[in-house]
């Protein structure tokens, strides 16, 4: 995994049918040899959140302590701040209008064509950056309390999210 190239593609997408969307992503993954994981960008607290979740998931695989058999799902598990794989799916996309981020991983030569194809599926937009409009979604997804926010301040919500990602390994 250490030689893997990791890139993010983000934007807005309308998903008519979730099953066929996931099938399309699966086919793209097979065709390019890349790992492709889609996530609801409304629950992403910035690029550091994504990078940290990817790093934690890859480390878990390298140390053979991954909970999921699939790297994409393991990334989602860390990104969600939850230990249970079932709970990780709360980070997934849904039918209808989505702000989406695709995490693309693979050999340096196979990533660009994959990025191009994903780029054509979305209306490009920076939906990864943490914005106050994501606040309520973040508080619910990551169980951030009013007390925590009072102590550290609203601007620290992304750091509180990253802390939750870090704690995934600790929580039993």
């Amino acid at each position: 995994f250490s030689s893997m190239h990791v890139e993010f593609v983000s934007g807005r997408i309308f998903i008519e049918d979730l099953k066929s969307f996931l099938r399309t992503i699966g086919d793209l993954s097979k065709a390019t040899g890349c790992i492709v994981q889609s996530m609801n960008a409304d629950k992403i607290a910035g690029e550091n959140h994504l990078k940290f979740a990817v790093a934690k998931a890859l480390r878990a695989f390298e140390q053979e302590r991954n909970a999921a058999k699939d790297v994409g799902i393991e990334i989602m598990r860390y990104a969600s701040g939850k230990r249970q794989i079932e709970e990780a799916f709360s980070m997934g996309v849904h039918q209808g209008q989505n702000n989406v981020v695709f995490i693309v991983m693979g050999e340096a030569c196979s990533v660009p064509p994959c990025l191009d194809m994903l780029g054509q599926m979305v209306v490009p937009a920076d939906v990864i950056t943490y914005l106050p409009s994501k606040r309520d979604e973040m508080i619910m997804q990551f169980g951030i309390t009013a007390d925590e926010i009072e102590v550290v301040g609203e601007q620290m919500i992304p750091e509180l999210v990253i802390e939750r990602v870090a704690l995934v390994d600790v929580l039993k």
Side-chain angles (χ1 to χ4, degrees):
F1 286 122
S2 52
S3 66
M4 277 216 181
H5 200 71
V6 180
E7 293 283 343
F8 307 125
V9 177
S10 69
R12 296 188 178 87
I13 190 169
F14 184 83
I15 298 175
E16 196 97 22
D17 176 311
L18 189 58
K19 273 201 176 78
S20 90
F21 168 79
L22 295 172
R23 198 175 311 119
T24 301
I25 299 303
D27 292 346
L28 175 61
S29 178
K30 278 190 201 84
T32 58
C34 290
I35 293 165
V36 181
Q37 183 62 53
S38 60
M39 279 196 263
N40 178 349
D42 293 338
K43 296 184 179 187
I44 299 297
E47 201 162 291
N48 288 341
H49 178 191
L50 284 174
K51 287 179 175 169
F52 193 52
V54 168
K56 296 285 284 180
L58 294 181
R59 201 167 308 129
F61 267 89
E62 281 163 10
Q63 296 172 356
E64 295 181 0
R65 49 176 183 73
N66 46 299
K69 291 178 184 73
D70 178 278
V71 179
I73 304 294
E74 190 74 356
I75 291 169
M76 235 164 121
R77 188 174 79 87
Y78 277 100
S80 73
K82 308 275 190 245
R83 218 181 131 63
Q84 302 303 321
I85 294 171
E86 298 74 42
E87 289 183 284
F89 291 108
S90 61
M91 296 299 283
V93 291
H94 49 83
Q95 199 165 331
Q97 193 62 45
N98 286 264
N99 287 329
V100 67
V101 57
F102 293 104
I103 298 168
V104 180
M105 297 168 53
E107 298 300 317
C109 58
S110 59
V111 170
C114 189
L115 295 175
D116 288 344
M117 286 184 261
L118 290 168
Q120 290 167 25
M121 292 171 66
V122 300
V123 176
D126 171 17
V127 291
I128 296 173
T129 303
Y130 176 77
L131 297 168
S133 59
K134 292 184 178 185
R135 178 188 190 274
D136 296 347
E137 196 82 71
M138 292 287 158
I139 286 171
M140 277 183 353
Q141 174 69 37
F142 296 96
I144 295 168
T145 66
D147 288 350
E148 282 179 287
I149 294 170
E150 202 175 304
V151 171
V152 299
E154 291 281 340
Q155 76 286 355
M156 295 299 282
I157 288 175
E159 280 72 17
L160 292 173
V161 168
I162 288 169
E163 190 177 87
R164 297 303 198 271
V165 175
L167 289 172
V168 169
D169 290 329
V170 184
L171 303 170
K172 291 286 177 248

